[in-house]
Amino acid sequence: MDLRIGFGYDMHRLQKGRELWLGGIKIEHERGLAGHSDADVLIHAICDALLGAANQRDIGFHFPDSSGEYEDIDSKILLKETYRLIQEKGYQLGNIDVTVCAEQPKLNPYIPQMQQTLAAILETDVDNISIKATTSEKMGFVGREEGIAAYAVTLIRKK
């Protein structure tokens, strides 16, 4: 069986006047993530992990921030297209494991809904989507609540 592992990382600044989207769901918070798209760091990290596992470069290559086509785009659309790209190469999802680093808001109450949303997009069982939330113990840009970061690893296999 041909198995491949991919790793993804993304971070965005927090900014007033933006909505906060993580894992494909809107989370009530006084600031959202700044970016060309909806800046969903969780989904962007997953996209990079999937693309990396399939040796398909990265999210910026496929969905450049220099293109007006992707301005304010819903990252769920980017994830669906990313998954289509790896399927075209003959791969299917094994599992995903994500860690989101944020001081605020507390994300644990939202994790089940994020898992369900992502599982639906990726046409997989919720059990194949692991999401964990942590803080950075008040250290660094995450600790100062300047931004949010996400790390993702994924396993894909040949169909």
Side-chain angles (χ1 to χ4, degrees), residues 43-62:
I43 286 182
H44 294 182
I46 291 172
C47 287
D48 269 349
L50 288 167
L51 291 165
N55 194 19
Q56 292 286 308
R57 306 219 20 200
D58 60 36
I59 192 172
F61 177 80
H62 292 279

Side-chain angles (χ1 to χ4, degrees), residues 48-117:
D48 269 349
L50 288 167
L51 291 165
N55 194 19
Q56 292 286 308
R57 306 219 20 200
D58 60 36
I59 192 172
F61 177 80
H62 292 279
F63 315 109
D65 63 7
S66 57
S67 171
E69 177 183 358
Y70 303 112
E71 188 170 0
D72 295 323
I73 195 167
D74 182 335
S75 290
K76 293 187 293 290
I77 295 168
L78 303 181
L79 181 59
K80 189 168 189 69
E81 178 63 14
T82 296
Y83 194 52
R84 186 191 62 75
L85 289 169
I86 72 158
Q87 287 177 310
E88 281 182 358
K89 216 171 164 187
Y91 291 100
Q92 65 185 27
L93 180 67
N95 72 300
I96 294 170
D97 186 18
V98 180
T99 300
V100 181
C101 302
E103 293 296 320
Q104 294 293 328
K106 297 301 180 195
L107 300 176
N108 279 321
Y110 302 100
I111 289 175
Q113 187 180 354
M114 290 179 195
Q115 288 174 296
Q116 291 170 354
T117 299

Side-chain angles (χ1 to χ4, degrees), residues 8-12 14 20-24 27 33 39-46 96-108 110-111 114-115 118 129-137 141-142 147-153:
Y9 171 74
D10 195 33
M11 63 179 155
H12 283 275
L14 283 162
L20 180 58
W21 287 88
L22 288 172
I27 296 173
L33 293 168
D40 188 327
V41 293
L42 192 154
I43 286 182
H44 294 182
I46 291 172
I96 294 170
D97 186 18
V98 180
T99 300
V100 181
C101 302
E103 293 296 320
Q104 294 293 328
K106 297 301 180 195
L107 300 176
N108 279 321
Y110 302 100
I111 289 175
M114 290 179 195
Q115 288 174 296
L118 298 172
I129 312 289
S130 171
I131 301 173
K132 303 171 306 297
T134 190
T135 68
S136 65
E137 301 294 328
F141 77 93
V142 171
I148 295 176
Y151 302 84
V153 291

